[in-house]
Amino acid sequence: MGDLAVFVDQVTLLRDWLRGLDIAGLVGVHVWAGGLPTTPTDPATPAITVRRIPGGYIDGPLELVDLQFDVWATTIPVAARVAGALTTQLVTCGRVALGSIDGCDVAFIGVDELTLASGHVPDLSDPNYQRYLVTGRGVFAAKPTP
Amino acid sequence: MSEDVTVTLNDSAVAALLNSPDGPIGIDLLKRGIRVETDVKRRLKQTGKGRVYEKYKPRRTHRASAPGDAPATDLGHLGASYGRALGHDGRGLFVQVGTGLKVGLFLEIGTRTIDPRPALRPALAKAAD
């Protein structure tokens, strides 16, 4: 049987992979799926949050998923540095086996460079946090675990 | 038998094609911008699936959007604020679609405490697909 596109929760697998990379040598394991944790109320930074946003489609064995990454830091230069390192990682990673979920082996094939956008956006809700936004279309492949 | 063919581009005509807002590229860009703008406004008009609020001045009941969905219209200010414009910079013609309201940006991308409610990016992605 060839590759199959299967709806799985890629975001938590992506989070786990990013946690192992220690992006920019600064982030360590502070990568979260969804938003920043609410407890403690001042989570460690720099940190990255990743979430799925509406959009994307399935193309044969591939699922193209629109992703929003937020880099959180206390200063703009640190946020920019982490965002730069994250972007490089997303574009140059090649095919990465993320692991198995729901009976499927899931691989991340990177973010389509043409869809990448990033920029500094202050956060209205908390002036102590600086934020760099990185969005792009991630490409995933999934096939049933043998 | 072979023949040499020389093609000479008319530089000023090419420049006009690439840079004139009234040329075919400018018109096509504007059409795409209108398509995205229309799609955003359509998304904003959908009924929310989130929490219900009693609001005043004027008194009304508003069902907000659920996280991940486009913002649900209340009085319609956000939808009315979206527009598009054809522009030109050092790289040539471009069309921009957006809103001047800050709330539009923060609904689109969320904040530290509010989940994103994207309307513009899905519309852009749909236009590109």
Side-chain angles (χ1 to χ4, degrees), chain B:
Chain B
M1 189 176 90
S2 66
E3 285 184 38
D4 290 334
V5 176
T6 303
V7 176
T8 306
L9 291 177
N10 180 335
D11 289 342
S12 61
V14 171
L17 177 73
L18 295 176
N19 298 308
S20 168
D22 299 323
I25 292 178
I27 291 169
D28 182 67
L29 273 174
L30 195 56
K31 279 183 185 169
R32 289 169 191 264
I34 291 169
R35 213 175 298 151
V36 172
E37 178 196 355
T38 305
D39 192 7
V40 170
K41 291 184 172 180
R42 182 187 60 76
R43 290 170 191 269
L44 294 177
K45 280 182 183 162
Q46 289 174 1
T47 307
K49 297 174 189 161
R51 288 164 62 181
V52 175
Y53 296 90
E54 289 301 320
K55 301 183 89 172
Y56 300 91
K57 291 184 181 176
R59 182 162 190 160
R60 62 202 186 276
T61 301
H62 172 60
R63 183 180 283 277
S65 54
D69 290 344
T73 193
D74 180 15
L75 294 176
H77 293 154
L78 181 59
S81 74
Y82 268 89
R84 83 285 174 182
L86 194 63
H88 189 279
D89 64 11
R91 293 189 295 175
L93 288 167
F94 64 87
V95 66
Q96 56 184 5
V97 181
T99 170
L101 296 182
K102 248 185 183 174
V103 68
L105 172 65
F106 290 104
L107 284 168
E108 178 74 29
I109 64 173
T111 70
R112 193 187 150 196
T113 51
I114 300 172
D115 286 324
R117 285 154 167 83
L120 182 57
R121 285 174 295 175
L124 279 171
K126 190 177 163 200
D129 288 343

Side-chain angles (χ1 to χ4, degrees), chain A residues 10 117 136:
Chain A
Q10 305 97 336

